[in-house]
Amino acid sequence: MDWMIESLLQGTQFQKLYNRKIETLWEAHRLRKIDIDILFFLHKSGEHNTPKDISNLDLFNKGHISQSVDRLSKQGFLQVVQDTADRRCIHLLLTGQAVALVERIILLRKNMYDIILQDVTQEEREALRKVSRKVHANIRNALEDPDTILKLL
């Protein structure tokens, strides 16, 4: 496979750029990458705002999520609210301080996308979207079907 496609699919270059963009936020607010990612997820997630919802992303383990939630709530970025119907469940709500930080995250992400999609036409972006959806579906299907993984061995 072409090394550029493989690099794109693995996201290594993307992650390097993203990490460089948000380093200033880590340092200024004594946060970690997972903290920034969780705040951004909660901003976009609507009612899906529980630690289990974050865990369903399969990006972080439960221990790291728990540590991050503790850190973010202690620093005033999250309000932890117990569910009224199920006392075992908690909801994570962004505070005003977090909303201001998320606005900065959104600007940094927009700037990053402007950089990586520079000189990419609208037609090429649509083709990239279509291919990305297909690749995502293929990966999701392969993960859901254990026989597919066995075929690879």
Side-chain angles (χ1 to χ4, degrees):
M1 175 178 290
D2 182 304
W3 70 269
M4 290 180 71
I5 293 173
E6 191 167 335
S7 175
L8 182 62
L9 290 173
Q10 291 177 359
T12 51
Q13 294 296 92
F14 178 86
Q15 283 301 317
K16 281 183 186 178
L17 179 61
Y18 180 65
N19 290 343
R20 283 193 187 149
K21 287 285 180 191
I22 63 172
E23 270 178 356
T24 57
L25 297 180
W26 295 345
E27 294 166 1
H29 298 282
R30 298 183 331 271
L31 297 174
R32 297 181 180 164
K33 181 182 181 300
I34 185 174
D35 302 332
I36 300 288
D37 292 343
I38 287 174
L39 290 174
F40 187 71
F41 169 79
L42 291 171
H43 165 75
K44 294 183 68 89
S45 68
E47 293 181 12
H48 302 283
N49 60 1
T50 67
K52 182 174 176 134
D53 293 323
I54 297 167
S55 179
N56 288 340
L57 296 173
D58 289 329
L59 298 176
F60 317 111
N61 69 44
K62 291 178 183 179
H64 288 137
I65 293 168
S66 178
Q67 290 173 355
S68 180
V69 167
D70 286 345
R71 188 170 37 254
L72 290 166
S73 61
K74 284 178 185 171
Q75 290 182 316
F77 290 106
L78 287 182
Q79 181 182 4
V80 178
V81 178
Q82 195 167 22
D83 190 287
T84 55
D86 182 354
R87 297 186 63 207
R88 297 169 297 172
C89 181
I90 61 170
H91 295 276
L92 306 172
L93 306 177
L94 297 177
T95 64
Q97 180 182 353
V99 170
L101 180 57
V102 168
E103 288 173 4
R104 290 187 59 203
I105 294 167
I106 290 168
L107 287 175
L108 287 172
R109 290 175 68 96
K110 182 190 177 316
N111 177 257
M112 185 180 70
Y113 288 120
D114 288 346
I115 290 169
I116 64 175
L117 294 174
Q118 180 180 344
D119 298 329
V120 178
T121 67
Q122 203 55 41
E123 182 179 287
E124 291 167 329
R125 290 177 190 212
E126 187 54 38
L128 180 60
R129 256 187 229 95
K130 286 179 182 178
V131 171
S132 296
R133 283 188 194 110
K134 288 179 182 181
V135 169
H136 179 74
N138 291 340
I139 292 170
R140 186 181 60 242
N141 293 338
L143 289 171
E144 291 173 0
D145 179 12
D147 291 337
T148 302
I149 294 172
L150 291 175
K151 290 175 191 172
L152 298 174
L153 299 176

